[in-house]
Amino acid sequence: MIKNPMARDISSPIDQAATRTPFARLLRKLLVGFIASGIVMLAIFSFKSWEEENQDMRRNLAIQAGFAEKNSQAVFDNLGTSMEMLGIRLEKMDITDHSELARSILNEFQSSHPGILAMTLVSPNGVTLLSNQAAPGEVLPDFRRDAAYLRAFLFDLNNTYSYNIGRNQFGMGLNQWHFPFRHTVQDSHGDPLFVIQAAISADIAGFLWSDLPLYPESRVGLMRNDGYIQLLWPRPESEQVLNKPQTGALIQTLRANPGMISGAYEGKSSLDDTVRLGAFSHLPNANMSAFVSVSKKLIMIRWWEHNYPILLSFLVYLGVIGSIAFKLSVMERQHTHDLLAQSRKDPLTGLPNRIAIDEILAREIARNRRGQTHSAILYLDLDKFKDINDNLGHSSGDRLLERVAMRIRAILRVEDVLARLGGDEFLILLPNSNAEKSSLVAERLIEVFGKSFRVSDQDLLVSTSIGICVFPDNGDDSSTLLQNADAAMYEAKRQGRNRFVFYRGELGEKIRQRLQLQHDFLRALKLQEFFLHYQPLVDLSSGKIVGAEALVRWLDPQRGLRNPAEFIPFAEETGVILPLGEWVLNTACREAKSWADQGYDIHIAVNLSARQFQDPDLFSKISNALSEAELPPANLELEITESASMQDPEASILVMDKLKSIGIKISIDDFGTGYSSLAYLKRIPADTIKIDRSFVNGIQNDPDDLAIVRAILALGNSLEKRCLAEGIETAENFETLNNLGCHFGQGYWMSKPIPALEFSKLLKEDVRYLHQNPAQSLTA
């Protein structure tokens, strides 16, 4: 490679000296280290000072927003209280016959409240009764012609707040921007008599906040929950600000964080496209939030003013290090903002999640308590959603959930809240709604679910089960309401799905019983309250005991012996069947080993539930149980229900093949009650088919049951599988089955399930069961 001939001239004297003397090299390292340390210190200083400036501004803005909220709320509450007193005064007089006196009272009220442009009395149906802006004898304005006004008026008429604040409007008898402030006067029965309506000038903002110690170019105002600006100061030049919904950072933050009472926001303003930092605080008695914001440029100016003496000393490095620090700061703030937003939002549907809905519910309950109003919650669960996930995949399931969320949202009001609780569960909050209104929404939901959803080029029909409860009738806190709505939803599923059910008291008792069962069950596992009984398995031709089925029993110290039909389905549903089943397997293997050591040639049969059969650790658990007990695998038989093995036939065959490979016996339990495919049945590596007791009980007097038993025995013989009949209750059952060629049997005619010691006694006595009578047993 040819070198640049000027390279020697470019090198510095220090570099040249460093190549010659150790001192020069040390000096260069010290200088580089000093410079690097200075840059690091400058970066740390710049970053910390910038963060402190932002935090300081946020704190100040939060204080100002809180002051604006309290000041605004106080003015509104004071005006509302005054209008209540005015209503009491007017109620005592006949305003129709004493219109001039009423006009005088309205004028007096207006003069004592700055910012009121006009006072009007309106009947419940929207007819103007009196306006102090119309001279006596003049035709009163009819505002009912404005449909939007009439809708808002009728909505406020039925609202339980002491006062209601409408959106800004222009005209309506006044030639300037104003908003209606309404109070409904009711009779002793709570029915509306008339409405007092004050037209409040939009210029009242200056009266409210002119004394606030604001930063230059600050902006203070009230933002309604529906996205419209109620008040803004300084007063905007464009009139569109007051009659157009906003889309800037503030309303985006409020909608992304429903239920947040106060907080900060940052981003572009929809008023002038400037990037601003602001804080907001929600008015507790009005559907709006006070906000104060400043330009981000102002924060930068203040930061520079506070730190420029130090920063100028390192101006050479400021351009590089300062910009990096600033960018990192912005990225971190944005990341924090995103994390906070994500923690309250469902990532799939963009709806509020459980964290957000808990806050919203708590706030709605507090509002209802103040106003003594009702709200309803609807708990939705998609019917058989798991089938869609299993058959079409989780991606299709996710797309379906997105479309479900959009369809539900489309039929709700603006003030209603839709949330996704997780999985296929949704929650709808209906403010100011009773049972009648919520039932209408539920009926509409059932109707819209009747139309198919287009997912992955397929039309899917999905129904929903809905549980409804109403505050305060069905609970006075969010936890109770959610629990009761969930119980009602499960009742809707129990009744057949695709319907809605209102919460009733007896559903709460079911929940209490279920929770008590869960508590008792976990205690029983911990304190070893479970034990095993063993029912003999008998060779029908010889009457000899060839095995035993292990059956779990529970002795509750408070409630005595509990029915397996009560706790086994619960354990299966909740998943606690896994630790219980593992205990049963280990205990049965140890007992079987003790009988094998005594020379008895028998096997032990253990039931596997559907949940156990799907356990990925099943094989290792069985292997460990056999190893710890030192029991030969041939002495263990696993009973698997027909329905469990058919949930995923291919996977079931693989599991059973693996178990068979080490010598374990397999039996198909409750055969004939499921929906087995013969194509799969012939491939299942089962040793035994167990004929369900429902067929055995009727073989003496029901030709159909006898025919079914014959068919199963014939099928077993053709597939070279042994057959065992369950539920042999009589000698006639025993004799008939033996004559039909059934290999084995079990039932109360031979022996009920008994403790291990009693079963050991039967083995020791070598009891043989004859078909004439179990009492006529033979012993060796």
Side-chain angles (χ1 to χ4, degrees):
M1 182 178 67
I2 300 176
K3 296 184 179 180
N4 184 349
M6 296 296 294
R8 289 187 299 273
D9 298 330
I10 293 174
S11 59
S12 67
I14 293 181
D15 289 335
Q16 296 175 14
T19 62
R20 292 191 298 268
T21 64
F23 177 77
R25 287 195 298 269
L26 178 61
L27 178 61
R28 187 180 67 170
K29 290 181 179 180
L30 289 174
L31 289 174
V32 171
F34 177 77
I35 294 172
S37 299
I39 292 174
V40 171
M41 292 176 63
L42 177 63
I44 294 174
F45 172 80
S46 301
F47 181 78
K48 287 188 175 181
S49 62
W50 172 248
E51 281 295 305
E52 290 172 358
E53 195 68 48
N54 274 272
Q55 291 292 342
D56 183 62
M57 181 61 73
R58 286 193 183 93
R59 287 191 292 269
N60 291 337
L61 291 175
I63 294 171
Q64 293 173 354
F67 184 88
E69 172 257 308
K70 289 179 173 58
N71 191 20
S72 304
Q73 188 66 74
V75 171
F76 289 154
D77 288 347
N78 180 59
L79 182 56
T81 301
S82 299
M83 290 184 77
E84 285 186 23
M85 301 301 296
L86 176 61
I88 295 172
R89 185 177 179 187
L90 292 174
E91 183 185 3
K92 295 179 180 179
M93 58 185 290
D94 189 336
I95 59 176
T96 304
D97 293 338
H98 301 84
S99 59
E100 290 309 308
L101 177 57
R103 184 191 307 276
S104 174
I105 293 174
L106 293 181
N107 288 335
E108 177 186 346
F109 185 89
Q110 178 178 343
S111 64
S112 61
H113 292 82
I116 297 182
L117 303 176
M119 296 291 295
T120 308
L121 302 181
V122 187
S123 70
N125 59 1
V127 176
T128 303
L129 302 176
L130 179 65
S131 173
N132 69 346
Q133 294 299 299
E138 285 188 10
V139 178
L140 295 174
D142 188 356
F143 300 142
R144 293 176 298 173
R145 299 173 183 173
D146 189 319
Y149 168 87
L150 184 59
R151 282 196 303 271
F153 175 85
L154 294 177
F155 178 85
D156 290 347
L157 185 69
N158 296 314
N159 204 317
T160 56
Y161 286 125
S162 62
Y163 59 85
N164 296 281
I165 303 172
R167 294 179 186 169
N168 281 290
Q169 55 193 20
F170 189 86
M172 309 296 287
L174 295 171
N175 195 30
Q176 64 183 93
W177 284 96
H178 64 280
F179 60 89
F181 191 100
R182 302 185 181 100
H183 168 70
T184 302
V185 179
Q186 300 175 337
D187 60 18
S188 58
H189 301 292
D191 296 325
L193 294 173
F194 55 91
V195 176
I196 305 173
Q197 178 172 290
I200 310 298
S201 170
D203 293 330
I204 197 175
F207 170 76
L208 290 175
W209 304 313
S210 58
D211 293 336
L212 273 176
L214 301 172
Y215 294 107
E217 299 182 12
S218 291
R219 190 175 291 155
V220 58
L222 295 177
M223 176 70 76
R224 296 172 61 90
N225 289 356
D226 57 13
Y228 285 83
I229 287 182
Q230 190 73 44
L231 291 174
L232 187 65
W233 192 80
R235 173 70 183 275
E237 297 180 2
S238 173
E239 295 180 349
Q240 290 186 351
V241 171
L242 299 177
N243 67 347
K244 180 181 179 182
Q246 301 301 302
T247 59
L250 172 56
I251 192 63
Q252 291 177 17
T253 302
L254 291 174
R255 288 174 176 168
N257 301 276
M260 183 178 285
I261 296 175
S262 62
Y265 64 94
E266 182 177 343
K268 275 193 175 184
S269 168
S270 57
L271 300 179
D272 53 13
D273 285 336
T274 60
V275 178
R276 303 182 72 82
L277 177 69
F280 64 90
S281 181
H282 191 80
L283 276 66
N285 296 329
N287 292 324
M288 59 188 72
S289 299
F291 66 90
V292 180
S293 70
V294 296
S295 170
K296 287 286 288 187
K297 181 174 64 176
L298 173 67
I299 304 176
M300 180 66 74
I301 293 173
R302 288 171 55 85
W303 176 69
W304 174 257
E305 289 176 349
H306 293 159
N307 300 285
Y308 79 91
I310 298 175
L311 296 175
L312 286 178
S313 302
F314 296 91
L315 189 58
V316 176
Y317 312 107
L318 183 62
V320 176
I321 304 303
S323 62
I324 294 175
F326 179 74
K327 289 179 180 179
L328 288 174
S329 175
V330 171
M331 290 172 61
E332 288 188 1
R333 285 199 306 275
Q334 185 61 47
H335 182 61
T336 302
H337 179 271
D338 292 344
L339 288 178
L340 289 174
Q342 291 171 10
S343 69
R344 298 166 178 267
K345 184 184 296 183
D346 174 49
L348 178 64
T349 62
L351 297 175
N353 59 12
R354 183 175 285 275
I355 296 175
I357 200 63
D358 284 343
E359 296 177 351
I360 295 171
L361 271 177
R363 187 172 161 200
E364 179 66 14
I365 289 171
R367 187 189 68 80
N368 286 336
R369 285 172 177 161
R370 290 194 302 269
Q372 297 184 349
T373 58
H374 289 72
S375 291
I377 61 173
L378 281 65
Y379 202 118
L380 287 74
D381 185 271
L382 304 189
D383 296 328
K384 299 185 178 180
F385 177 75
K386 183 177 183 296
D387 294 345
I388 295 175
N389 265 346
D390 292 343
N391 295 326
L392 300 182
H394 289 277
S395 177
S396 295
D398 289 346
R399 300 294 80 74
L400 174 61
L401 292 173
E402 291 173 343
R403 285 159 177 75
V404 165
M406 289 188 292
R407 190 172 292 186
I408 296 175
R409 181 72 265 179
I411 70 167
L412 300 179
R413 304 172 299 179
V414 174
E415 61 269 26
D416 298 335
V417 179
L418 171 63
R420 181 183 175 217
L421 302 181
D424 60 341
E425 295 181 339
F426 294 85
L427 187 94
I428 300 174
L429 170 63
L430 302 176
N432 301 315
S433 295
N434 53 22
E436 181 180 358
K437 292 181 181 179
S438 59
S439 65
L440 293 176
V441 175
E443 289 174 356
R444 178 64 176 142
L445 286 168
I446 298 294
E447 178 183 341
V448 299
F449 269 86
K451 300 177 182 178
S452 62
F453 294 86
R454 189 68 177 173
V455 176
S456 301
D457 297 326
Q458 297 188 56
D459 291 323
L460 302 180
L461 280 173
V462 181
S463 61
T464 182
S465 300
I466 306 172
I468 307 175
C469 67
V470 179
F471 174 88
D473 302 341
N474 305 135
D476 58 0
D477 61 79
S478 58
S479 176
T480 303
L481 288 170
L482 287 173
Q483 177 177 291
N484 292 344
D486 181 54
M489 181 270 292
Y490 275 105
E491 178 65 14
K493 286 189 175 293
R494 191 191 67 80
Q495 293 182 12
R497 301 184 175 90
N498 194 31
R499 66 194 64 219
F500 64 89
V501 169
F502 281 92
Y503 173 78
R504 305 185 306 275
E506 56 266 29
L507 298 181
E509 178 60 21
K510 290 181 180 179
I511 294 175
R512 189 199 64 77
Q513 292 175 358
R514 183 179 177 84
L515 292 175
Q516 184 63 46
L517 176 58
Q518 179 179 354
H519 174 270
D520 293 346
F521 192 96
L522 295 176
R523 183 206 66 227
L525 278 176
K526 182 179 180 180
L527 300 182
Q528 299 181 349
E529 296 173 8
F530 294 103
F531 60 95
L532 295 182
H533 274 181
Y534 300 89
Q535 187 170 35
L537 306 178
V538 177
D539 184 326
L540 298 186
S541 61
S542 66
K544 180 180 176 60
I545 297 175
V546 295
E549 180 179 0
L551 300 168
V552 67
R553 296 293 185 261
W554 177 8
L555 184 60
D556 189 319
Q558 282 82 38
R559 302 181 59 181
L561 197 62
R562 302 186 71 156
N563 191 341
E566 172 192 6
F567 63 85
I568 292 296
F570 163 80
E572 176 75 12
E573 178 185 346
T574 58
V576 291
I577 193 70
L578 295 179
L580 176 62
E582 188 174 1
W583 175 86
V584 170
L585 184 65
N586 291 330
T587 304
C589 286
R590 288 195 299 270
E591 201 68 57
K593 171 61 175 173
S594 71
W595 290 324
D597 289 344
Q598 297 173 48
Y600 300 120
D601 183 18
I602 65 170
H603 67 273
I604 193 75
V606 177
N607 289 281
L608 287 184
S609 70
R611 183 67 71 92
Q612 287 177 278
F613 197 56
Q614 296 166 3
D615 183 4
D617 298 326
L618 175 63
F619 185 79
S620 63
K621 290 178 180 178
I622 294 173
S623 300
N624 290 338
L626 292 170
S627 176
E628 291 178 5
E630 298 181 353
L631 180 70
N635 287 35
L636 176 63
E637 182 177 61
L638 298 176
E639 295 188 3
I640 302 164
T641 62
E642 180 185 9
S643 57
S645 64
M646 287 298 103
Q647 287 185 7
D648 188 347
E650 295 295 343
S652 298
I653 291 172
L654 291 175
V655 172
M656 287 188 278
D657 281 339
K658 192 173 183 180
L659 294 171
K660 284 282 294 180
S661 68
I662 63 173
I664 294 174
K665 297 183 178 69
I666 303 291
S667 68
I668 300 299
D669 198 8
D670 300 337
F671 185 80
T673 61
Y675 48 89
S676 300
S677 165
L678 293 179
Y680 281 111
L681 182 60
K682 70 179 183 179
R683 296 173 53 200
I684 292 178
D687 301 279
T688 305
I689 295 176
K690 296 190 72 172
I691 305 173
D692 188 69
R693 68 182 63 248
S694 61
F695 305 127
V696 173
N697 289 338
I699 59 174
Q700 305 304 133
N701 48 29
D702 190 331
D704 292 337
D705 284 345
L706 181 59
I708 291 173
V709 171
R710 287 181 186 273
I712 295 174
L713 291 172
L715 179 64
N717 287 331
S718 64
L719 295 176
E720 298 182 350
K721 301 182 189 300
R722 297 173 299 176
C723 293
L724 183 150
E726 297 181 293
I728 299 177
E729 307 294 339
T730 66
E732 290 78 8
N733 289 162
F734 187 100
E735 183 174 3
T736 300
L737 289 164
N738 187 29
N739 292 336
L740 290 174
C742 184
H743 305 91
F744 307 106
Q746 68 182 109
Y748 273 58
W749 187 78
M750 286 86 82
S751 173
K752 66 180 181 179
I754 55 179
L757 288 176
E758 293 185 30
F759 185 77
S760 297
K761 184 178 179 182
L762 293 181
L763 295 176
K764 184 177 181 181
E765 295 175 355
D766 193 16
V767 171
R768 305 292 182 93
Y769 296 96
L770 301 177
H771 64 271
Q772 289 85 358
N773 194 310
Q776 301 174 0
S777 59
L778 299 176
T779 58

